Amino acid sequence: MAEEVILLDCWCSMYGMRARIALAEKGVKYEYKEEDLNNKSPLLLEMNPIHKKVPVLIHNGKSICESLVIVQYIDEVWKGNGPLIPSDPYEKAQAWFWSDYMGNTVHEYAVKIWATKGEEQEQAVKDYLGGLKLIEGVLGDKPYFGGENFGFLDISLIGFYSWFLAYETFGKFSVEKECPKLILWVKRCLERDSVSKTLPDSEKVCEFAYEFGVE
Amino acid sequence: MAEEVILLDCWCSMYGMRARIALAEKGVKYEYKEEDLNNKSPLLLEMNPIHKKVPVLIHNGKSICESLVIVQYIDEVWKGNGPLIPSDPYEKAQAWFWSDYMGNTVHEYAVKIWATKGEEQEQAVKDYLGGLKLIEGVLGDKPYFGGENFGFLDISLIGFYSWFLAYETFGKFSVEKECPKLILWVKRCLERDSVSKTLPDSEKVCEFAYEFGVE
């Protein structure tokens, strides 16, 4: 049976990037459908009626929602190019934990950099950099988060890089200055086609962030 | 090597109950350490420095945090009594999705029932029951969420039952009246030792909720 794989996504969603990178790593052919988040498609509302959010993976008519769940699904359904998720239970637990930490806690600090000013923004910058430094500590001196190979936690984290410039511009700070090893890891990831072809231009994200800023 | 398994938990945490039920299902012997959430132990702060929350599973000195990640870890490390997590990628994705929905979205409605009054509380009751009805729809006519066998999604959801009486008392409604099939599923789960020995007395939870209410 011919497979039908569709991804409902938005170009600047770091959660969507997780799905796109995983699909690219596995060499899965799929139809990409860009969503206008101000005017969501009937297909998105049908396929993710609970949260109405991207990304949604539709595989032969069945929808899979929530970015980490999608990456897990992709890893299990398409076995090509080896597993993305660590097989060791403890490493797997760590990868889920830090993926969740970046996608929720640290992302909330980032949104505050975008949405606030003055002292509140200064605190958000401190919190955000604190979160990134913790994550940099998890990387340590390894080339990738899982060790020698690019995997689940790298996929979960790398999309957030495309918003660094926007946050840096809003909050007047430099991630590279504070977390140089993290930026070396970013550069290593960007050498992979799956990442470089997925991540949008940081300048474009920055323009988007200004346009849709909450000021 | 003798295994050391410790669970840092709080008796009325529905997230902690997920870990306790999974450990019971697998027949894992462990040391239970009750945490006073108003005066967290140095061990909790050391083992979950990021979120400082229960439950935390400590296995031979290594900590695993976040309840669903803990259940996954338990399922993978202790193979006895069969797997709790579905092996089918789509069923697994669904189980994660609904576990997350109950633990985050629906739980937030529940907290509002507890924390608000008047119209805001009425809306929270509607939202909460709407969430439970969606979950009841996922159950359908199956005995358990995964089908014939008690598994991951049952474990993720059943602990929330121990708070139903508290929310019902605050919000003046009956889950049984609105979601009769869900309550039949609860009764089925309570026939299992792993559940009946884990879930606290609903009256005791209700007293606790009144004592620590935000009024």
Side-chain angles (χ1 to χ4, degrees), chain B residues 13-25:
Chain B
S13 164
M14 45 283 253
Y15 304 99
M17 292 174 213
R18 290 172 167 174
R20 277 176 267 159
I21 295 170
L23 287 164
E25 284 289 330

Side-chain angles (χ1 to χ4, degrees), chain B residues 92-152:
Chain B
K92 188 192 281 195
Q94 290 291 96
W96 274 95
F97 177 84
W98 291 106
S99 298
D100 180 76
Y101 177 64
M102 183 76 205
N104 290 300
T105 310
V106 181
H107 182 62
E108 280 168 25
Y109 300 143
V111 170
K112 277 191 190 159
I113 296 174
W114 190 13
T116 64
K117 282 191 168 182
E119 277 182 29
E120 213 178 337
Q121 191 183 49
E122 280 169 34
Q123 186 58 49
V125 170
K126 273 184 203 163
D127 291 339
Y128 182 67
L129 286 171
L132 292 186
K133 280 178 190 176
L134 280 175
I135 287 169
E136 191 183 40
V138 175
L139 177 66
D141 291 315
K142 304 189 293 291
Y144 297 108
F145 278 87
E148 293 301 314
N149 298 312
F150 180 84
F152 183 71

Side-chain angles (χ1 to χ4, degrees), chain A residues 48 50-51 62-66 69 72-73 76-77 87 89-90 92-94 96-98 100-101 105 134, chain B residues 48 50-51 62-66 69 72-73 76-77 87 89-90 92-94 96-98 100-101 105 134:
Chain A
N48 190 1
I50 307 288
H51 300 304
K62 285 179 173 174
S63 62
I64 299 100
C65 305
E66 298 290 312
V69 175
Q72 175 177 259
Y73 180 85
E76 293 181 350
V77 168
S87 57
Y90 181 71
K92 187 193 281 193
Q94 290 291 94
W96 274 95
F97 177 85
W98 290 106
D100 180 75
Y101 177 64
T105 310
L134 279 175
Chain B
N48 190 0
I50 306 289
H51 299 305
K62 284 179 173 175
S63 62
I64 299 101
C65 305
E66 299 288 313
V69 174
Q72 175 177 259
Y73 180 85
E76 293 181 349
V77 168
S87 57
Y90 180 71
K92 188 192 281 195
Q94 290 291 96
W96 274 95
F97 177 84
W98 291 106
D100 180 76
Y101 177 64
T105 310
L134 280 175

Side-chain angles (χ1 to χ4, degrees), chain B residues 159-178:
Chain B
F160 292 85
Y161 166 72
S162 60
W163 282 76
F164 279 10
L165 180 64
Y167 305 138
E168 288 170 328
T169 309
F170 280 102
K172 298 179 186 60
F173 64 97
S174 159
V175 175
E176 184 155 22
K177 202 173 144 193
E178 302 286 338

Side-chain angles (χ1 to χ4, degrees), chain A residues 138-178:
Chain A
V138 175
L139 177 66
D141 290 316
K142 303 188 295 291
Y144 297 107
F145 279 88
E148 293 301 315
N149 298 310
F150 180 83
F152 184 71
L153 187 47
D154 302 291
I155 291 175
S156 300
L157 300 175
I158 189 63
F160 291 85
Y161 165 73
S162 59
W163 281 75
F164 279 8
L165 180 64
Y167 305 138
E168 287 171 330
T169 309
F170 280 102
K172 298 179 184 60
F173 64 97
S174 158
V175 175
E176 185 156 21
K177 201 173 145 194
E178 302 286 337

